[in-house]
Amino acid sequence: MTDDDPGPALRTAALEELLVERGLVDPAVVDGFVRTYERDVGPLNGATVVARAWTDPQFREWLLRDGTAAIASLGFTGPQGEHMVVLEQTEQVHHVVVCTLCSCYPWPVLGLPPSWYKDPAYRARVVREPRTVLAEMGLDVPPQRRIEVWDSSAEVRYLVLPRRPARTDGLTAEQLAGLVGRDAMVGVAEAVEPS
């Protein structure tokens, strides 16, 4: 199956039509959920937070000191975002986030968790052999950089503040946000260099 395969979309539409026809689902409610996760909850929110930290030193300091309040000041709040801690990538330390018990994840700033984040293999292995797992995911962390693994929980969730890529001094916050993917905010990737 390829990304161009219309099968999943057709099956989803048929299932939704059947559920609506039987009165089990209100289409307005479904549309509301879709809008919420496309516009209001998702990686773009986190990328907006990161771009603001890259362009505003006072915000960055506040974000690292009180992630919950700083993130909330941008309007990103809600369930699974009540207690946020922000971890800054540096030349000395690389942070990566996992939830070893289930899949605790900061939905307001990262949206829905990717399937690999919930996978038992990732959850177990990234704690034991983080450098190997990161390499398998395409991120080679230099040997001189220490890797710290942070275990997310129902009490605290983490957002990684990636290092700002080189050659980005003249970019706007919106352009910078476009360089930040969800995986960089979990610590399994870096922010991308501008093309």
Side-chain angles (χ1 to χ4, degrees), residues 75-116:
F76 309 132
T77 61
Q80 289 80 46
E82 297 92 350
H83 186 189
M84 296 290 304
V85 171
V86 178
L87 310 163
E88 184 176 28
Q89 302 290 37
T90 68
E91 291 297 321
Q92 295 76 35
V93 181
H94 182 87
H95 302 283
V96 63
V97 180
V98 65
C99 180
T100 57
L101 296 178
C102 54
S103 59
C104 294
Y105 192 75
W107 289 39
V109 288
L110 295 184
L112 299 172
S115 58
W116 58 259

Side-chain angles (χ1 to χ4, degrees), residues 144-162:
Q144 68 273 18
R145 189 175 301 150
R146 185 176 78 249
I147 297 177
E148 292 186 4
V149 179
W150 296 82
D151 194 0
S152 193
S153 70
E155 287 77 38
V156 63
R157 287 175 173 83
Y158 299 97
L159 176 71
V160 174
L161 176 60

Side-chain angles (χ1 to χ4, degrees), residues 47 51 54-55 164-165 168-169 171-180:
W54 285 347
T55 58
R164 184 174 174 164
T168 59
D169 288 343
L171 299 184
T172 67
E174 185 176 278
Q175 290 169 321
L176 288 169
L179 304 176
V180 183

Side-chain angles (χ1 to χ4, degrees), residues 20-191:
V20 167
E21 184 179 295
R22 294 195 177 168
L24 300 171
V25 170
D26 180 349
V29 172
V30 172
D31 291 344
F33 278 116
V34 170
R35 270 192 311 279
T36 296
Y37 285 96
E38 283 180 343
R39 292 193 323 230
D40 303 328
V41 178
L44 182 57
N45 295 351
T48 300
V49 171
V50 169
R52 174 78 182 270
W54 285 347
T55 58
D56 181 343
Q58 288 180 318
F59 180 80
R60 181 186 150 279
E61 183 181 307
W62 182 25
L63 183 67
L64 295 172
R65 188 179 63 252
D66 186 352
T68 306
I71 291 167
S73 77
L74 297 178
F76 309 132
T77 61
Q80 289 80 46
E82 297 92 350
H83 186 189
M84 296 290 304
V85 171
V86 178
L87 310 163
E88 184 176 28
Q89 302 290 37
T90 68
E91 291 297 321
Q92 295 76 35
V93 181
H94 182 87
H95 302 283
V96 63
V97 180
V98 65
C99 180
T100 57
L101 296 178
C102 54
S103 59
C104 294
Y105 192 75
W107 289 39
V109 288
L110 295 184
L112 299 172
S115 58
W116 58 259
Y117 186 83
K118 300 179 283 185
D119 188 279
Y122 171 79
R123 293 180 2 221
R125 289 186 61 225
V126 77
V127 173
R128 290 190 323 266
E129 50 185 350
R131 198 170 300 276
T132 302
V133 171
L134 292 174
E136 290 170 3
M137 295 181 84
L139 179 64
D140 290 315
V141 178
Q144 68 273 18
R145 189 175 301 150
R146 185 176 78 249
I147 297 177
E148 292 186 4
V149 179
W150 296 82
D151 194 0
S152 193
S153 70
E155 287 77 38
V156 63
R157 287 175 173 83
Y158 299 97
L159 176 71
V160 174
L161 176 60
R163 293 178 302 145
R164 184 174 174 164
R167 301 179 294 114
T168 59
D169 288 343
L171 299 184
T172 67
E174 185 176 278
Q175 290 169 321
L176 288 169
L179 304 176
V180 183
R182 175 203 62 214
D183 292 359
M185 295 179 283
V186 176
V188 300
E190 299 278 3

